């Protein structure tokens, strides 16, 4: 049945001023926009007093495993997200050669979780995306091929540089996965094995990605002490490979580094002036979230998770870990230094034994366990086989708004879905609309919706997405601009937002009157030529 969305304020995603209009949806497309008389062939949806916007696009998501286990992905759909990009931070589901399934599942667990409920023998991106399609996802899914997975297939998990034969294999794997529909390449240069690489290795893979007009998405080597050198490395990769650059979860961490912000912006401007295509995404919070294992010095991770556990079991090596955390290592983003033991909180564990740690700071964890924070943290990581999530506080509201207003910015969640997650999992997009548009007036409604819809769709070459126009796909979010807001907090994050009234994915209502309908109408979007299509 056709659907007529009647009487809403249409904000079409292009930054144009909102206008009153009816929107007619037929099958999975927008058929007409204007003044439309309803008839018996139409289901009428009253949007009086509501904004009708394109569905939101989450350019940094960690639903890679969750989409196979719980394909509705309700935390995303309930906040108006209709499309998300998987494969982030250089560590994801595919490619995954069979001989590496066991160590890779351990490496992945802290970011994307683990499950025995799926068949891990899919091997390639083609195999993985077929599984996602078979799961019938609740929203549209795109995939970045991860650098760490490519490296693992080409040369294993060792801490060394590739030889020429291995480098050629990386190029071939990148090409194979781009041909399978990946929309770009990701890396996370604080995560193993990506952190073992030098720029040359990444440039060679990015040359392949550039041939497909794909984008290189990067959690850069530093977001703290050496952020300027880190940004210069990324810009060099873009210059020498010709690839388009997209910085993940852009920010500057640690009070002592806030004086670098002007230089950070200057580097963005210089790259643009040079003709390098640079964009970034951002979540609207002063705290981040990742796997707790990142607090360990880089050498602890050499050889993968099994080696991490061996080293955590060694009392003498624990002393060296504490020394390196307390004194720092040049070029290493030291989370304990820029957040503090009292500002890093455990968000998820995999065993029942340590559920009491969830929600505690590392300082509180030490108190609970009757020992010092380091011992308690190392014990937790050892007992949980490194599958522990965390939240860390790093910045200020002033800086969040500064980067939010930048032309390179689009919104994201970067939400890890397990345990007691960062509240951005449930509320990043409504938070922008409620706090930063309505309350703080940092952005206009048209600007914010552009940064959630058309901007990311254009950045990642998504055809007929992110915009309300005739012929575009009917991915829509209908919300109340007077009430929309995130509800989750860091102590009680699992709360759906207020004010998201209806959400439509490819013409079908996934959310109606603020409640999930159970409908799963998402598709896998793949790169074909230079476009990303279903």
């Amino acid at each position: 049945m056709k659907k007529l969305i009647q009487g809403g304020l249409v904000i079409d995603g292009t930054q144009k001023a909102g206008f009153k209009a009816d929107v007619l949806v037929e099958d999975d497309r927008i058929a007409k926009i204007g003044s439309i008389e309803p008839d018996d062939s139409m289901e009428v949806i009253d949007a009086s007093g509501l904004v009708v916007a394109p569905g939101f696009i989450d350019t940094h998501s960690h639903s890679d495993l969750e989409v196979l286990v719980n394909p509705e992905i309700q935390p995303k759909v309930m906040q108006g997200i209709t499309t998300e990009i998987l494969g982030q931070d250089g560590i994801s589901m595919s490619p995954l050669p069979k001989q590496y399934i066991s160590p890779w599942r351990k490496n992945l667990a802290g970011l994307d979780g683990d499950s025995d409920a799926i068949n891990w023998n899919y091997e390639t991106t083609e195999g993985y995306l077929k599984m996602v399609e078979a799961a019938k996802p609740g929203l549209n899914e795109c995939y970045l091929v991860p650098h760490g997975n490519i490296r693992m297939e080409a040369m294993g998990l060792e801490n060394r540089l590739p030889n020429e034969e291995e480098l050629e294999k990386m190029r071939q794997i990148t090409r194979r996965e781009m041909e399978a529909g990946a929309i770009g390449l990701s890396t996370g240069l604080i995560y193993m094995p990506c952190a073992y690489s030098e720029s040359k290795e990444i440039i060679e893979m990015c040359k392949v990605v550039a041939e497909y007009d794909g984008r290189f998405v990067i959690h850069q080597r530093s977001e703290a002490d050496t952020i300027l050198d880190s940004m210069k490395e990324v810009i060099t990769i873009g210059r020498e490979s010709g690839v388009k650059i997209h910085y993940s979860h852009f920010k500057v961490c640690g009070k002592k580094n806030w004086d670098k912000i002007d230089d950070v912006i200057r580097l963005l401007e210089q790259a643009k002036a040079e003709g390098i295509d640079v964009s970034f995404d951002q979540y609207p919070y002063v705290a981040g979230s990742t796997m707790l294992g990142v607090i360990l010095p880089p050498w602890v991770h050499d050889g993968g998770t099994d080696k991490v556990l061996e080293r955590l079991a060694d009392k003498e090596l624990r002393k060296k870990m504490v020394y390196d955390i307390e004194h720092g290592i040049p070029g290493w983003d030291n989370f304990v230094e820029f957040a503090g033991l009292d500002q890093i909180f455990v968000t998820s564990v995999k065993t029942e034994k340590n559920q009491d740690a969830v929600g505690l700071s590392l300082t509180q964890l030490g108190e609970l366990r009757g020992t010092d924070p380091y011992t308690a943290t190392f014990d937790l990581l050892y007992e949980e086989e490194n599958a522990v999530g965390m939240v860390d506080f790093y910045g200020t509201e002033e800086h969040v708004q500064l980067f939010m207003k930048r032309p390179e910015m689009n919104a994201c969640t970067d939400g890890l879905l397990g345990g007691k997650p960062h509240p951005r999992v449930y509320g990043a997009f409504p938070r922008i609309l409620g706090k930063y548009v309505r309350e703080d007036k940092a952005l206009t409604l048209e600007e914010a919706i552009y940064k959630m819809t058309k901007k990311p769709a254009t950045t990642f070459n998504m055809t007929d997405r992110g915009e309300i126009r005739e012929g575009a796909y009917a991915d829509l979010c209908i919300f109340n601009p007077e009430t929309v807001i995130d509800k989750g907090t860091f102590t009680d994050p699992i709360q759906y937002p207020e004010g998201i009234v209806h959400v439509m994915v490819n013409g079908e209502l996934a959310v109606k009157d603020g409640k999930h309908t159970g409908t799963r109408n998402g598709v896998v979007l793949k790169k074909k030529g230079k476009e990303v299509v279903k």
Side-chain angles (χ1 to χ4, degrees):
M1 181 179 264
K2 298 175 187 175
K3 296 174 181 67
L4 179 61
I5 302 162
Q6 204 169 37
L9 178 69
V10 175
I11 299 184
D12 66 6
T14 67
Q15 298 193 81
K16 288 192 301 191
F19 56 94
K20 280 283 185 76
D22 305 325
V23 178
L24 181 65
V25 173
E26 192 168 348
D27 298 322
D28 61 353
R29 302 263 187 170
I30 296 168
K32 188 177 179 182
I33 302 168
S35 180
I36 304 166
E37 281 296 314
D39 61 37
D40 291 343
S41 70
M42 302 173 188
E43 176 188 350
V44 178
I45 299 166
D46 183 8
S48 303
L50 305 177
V51 168
V52 183
F56 306 146
I57 298 172
D58 183 359
T59 57
H60 193 108
S61 174
H62 287 284
S63 308
D64 311 50
L65 176 60
E66 188 76 4
V67 71
L68 301 175
V69 180
N70 295 300
E72 287 178 356
I73 315 290
Q74 286 197 29
K76 299 299 187 71
V77 178
M78 291 290 284
Q79 62 172 294
I81 295 166
T82 57
T83 300
E84 60 180 357
I85 299 179
L86 310 175
Q88 302 288 344
D89 294 320
I91 301 174
S92 186
M93 299 288 286
S94 70
L96 180 53
K98 289 183 179 178
Q99 68 267 33
Y100 292 113
I101 290 173
S102 177
W104 194 251
R105 282 177 65 174
K106 292 174 184 171
N107 193 40
L108 186 63
L111 274 184
D112 293 343
D114 191 15
S115 175
D116 292 325
I118 70 161
N119 183 344
W120 288 85
N121 293 304
Y122 47 80
E123 296 191 90
T124 62
T125 293
E126 181 182 13
Y128 169 66
L129 293 181
K130 282 181 178 175
M131 287 177 67
V132 175
E133 287 172 338
K136 297 182 179 176
L139 59 166
N140 305 312
E141 304 288 356
C142 312
Y143 191 71
L144 299 162
V145 59
H147 170 202
N149 293 67
I150 294 170
R151 195 178 215 272
M152 173 175 59
E153 180 174 339
M155 58 179 289
L157 296 167
E158 296 82 17
N159 181 3
R160 62 179 178 84
L161 298 179
N163 58 39
E164 283 304 313
E165 183 181 337
E166 290 163 340
L167 199 55
E168 174 58 26
K169 194 168 183 184
M170 288 187 199
R171 286 190 285 260
Q172 291 171 2
I173 295 166
T174 304
R175 186 174 301 282
R176 181 191 75 203
E177 306 303 61
M178 293 299 294
E179 289 285 341
I183 68 170
L185 171 75
S186 80
T187 193
L189 294 180
I190 70 165
Y191 301 115
M192 312 307 152
C194 308
Y196 304 147
S197 64
E198 292 182 352
S199 301
K200 177 188 174 185
E201 174 181 322
I202 302 169
I203 288 166
E204 290 304 308
M205 288 182 285
C206 283
K207 286 177 181 176
V208 176
V209 175
E211 292 177 33
Y212 294 83
D213 199 29
R215 196 163 282 266
F216 175 49
V217 178
I218 178 166
H219 180 142
Q220 59 181 323
R221 226 176 272 276
S222 174
E223 295 177 325
D225 296 7
T226 56
I227 189 171
L228 300 178
D229 288 339
S230 177
M231 287 185 69
K232 288 173 186 174
E233 177 189 27
V234 178
I235 292 166
T236 297
I237 290 166
R239 181 187 302 121
E240 296 192 11
S241 69
V243 81
K244 296 175 178 178
I245 297 295
H246 185 82
Y247 290 94
S248 292
H249 41 62
F250 201 65
K251 56 186 175 291
V252 178
C253 294
K255 191 171 184 177
K256 71 173 186 173
N257 295 309
W258 294 343
D259 63 355
K260 297 181 173 73
I261 287 177
D262 287 347
D263 288 329
V264 160
I265 290 172
R266 199 169 294 119
L267 284 172
L268 291 174
E269 300 281 6
Q270 287 173 3
K272 181 180 177 181
E274 194 180 328
I276 298 169
D277 190 323
V278 177
S279 57
F280 66 75
D281 52 40
Q282 178 198 32
Y283 48 81
Y285 297 86
V286 295
S289 179
T290 185
M291 57 176 82
L292 184 60
V294 299
I295 74 159
L296 301 174
W299 57 265
V300 181
H301 295 275
D302 287 359
T305 302
D306 291 333
K307 291 294 184 184
V308 172
L309 300 180
E310 282 182 26
R311 293 176 184 124
L312 283 170
D314 186 318
K315 288 181 180 178
E316 290 305 310
L317 289 180
R318 283 192 178 199
K319 290 178 185 175
K320 180 170 167 46
M321 292 174 205
V322 174
Y323 181 87
D324 286 347
I325 292 168
E326 292 286 336
H327 294 83
I329 297 173
W332 170 49
D333 268 14
N334 186 340
F335 279 73
V336 172
E337 180 189 30
F338 64 66
L341 293 164
D342 62 336
Q343 292 297 306
I344 297 174
F345 294 81
V346 177
T347 58
S348 66
V349 295
K350 71 176 185 178
T351 72
E352 198 58 42
K353 174 186 175 185
N354 287 309
Q355 287 298 325
D356 60 349
V358 174
L360 300 183
S361 72
L362 301 188
T363 302
Q364 292 168 329
L365 179 65
E367 292 168 357
L368 180 71
R369 297 288 188 257
T371 186
D372 66 276
Y374 289 116
T375 299
T377 302
F378 297 161
D379 287 348
L380 181 66
L381 287 167
Y382 180 79
E383 291 167 9
E384 296 295 318
E385 295 185 311
N386 203 29
V388 184
M390 78 171 197
V391 160
D392 62 290
F393 287 80
Y394 64 81
T396 70
E397 282 292 344
E398 178 190 0
H399 300 151
V400 169
Q401 291 195 24
L402 177 69
F403 290 129
M404 188 176 286
K405 293 176 181 179
R406 291 290 309 174
E408 302 88 354
M409 180 269 183
N410 69 253
C412 75
T413 66
D414 187 19
L416 313 187
L417 292 163
K420 196 172 190 177
H422 192 298
R424 64 194 183 191
V425 173
Y426 286 80
F429 287 77
R431 180 176 176 82
I432 292 174
L433 296 171
K435 174 175 169 52
Y436 294 99
V437 173
R438 186 178 64 244
E439 295 174 8
D440 295 351
K441 296 180 172 48
L443 299 172
T444 67
L445 196 50
E446 287 83 1
E447 286 171 333
I449 288 174
Y450 167 71
K451 288 171 177 288
M452 298 175 172
T453 58
K454 182 67 174 174
K455 170 73 166 68
T458 303
T459 297
F460 288 92
N461 294 345
M462 295 178 190
T463 302
D464 293 339
R465 307 274 173 187
E467 186 177 352
I468 295 180
R469 61 170 166 75
E470 293 176 4
Y473 286 101
D475 293 339
L476 300 170
C477 178
I478 302 167
F479 64 90
N480 186 332
E482 300 303 318
T483 63
V484 65
I485 195 69
D486 62 316
K487 298 295 289 180
T489 65
F490 287 99
T491 54
D492 188 13
I494 303 176
Q495 298 187 64
Y496 292 123
E498 280 184 16
I500 303 293
V501 183
H502 309 295
V503 181
M504 190 176 285
V505 181
N506 295 310
E508 295 294 334
L509 284 167
V511 177
K512 185 175 182 179
D513 297 321
K515 293 186 168 44
H516 199 278
T517 65
T519 298
R520 304 203 307 266
N521 203 42
V523 295
V524 174
L525 303 178
K526 299 178 184 176
K527 181 166 269 299
K528 293 179 183 173
K530 293 193 173 183
E531 297 182 323
V532 175
V533 297
K534 78 181 225 187

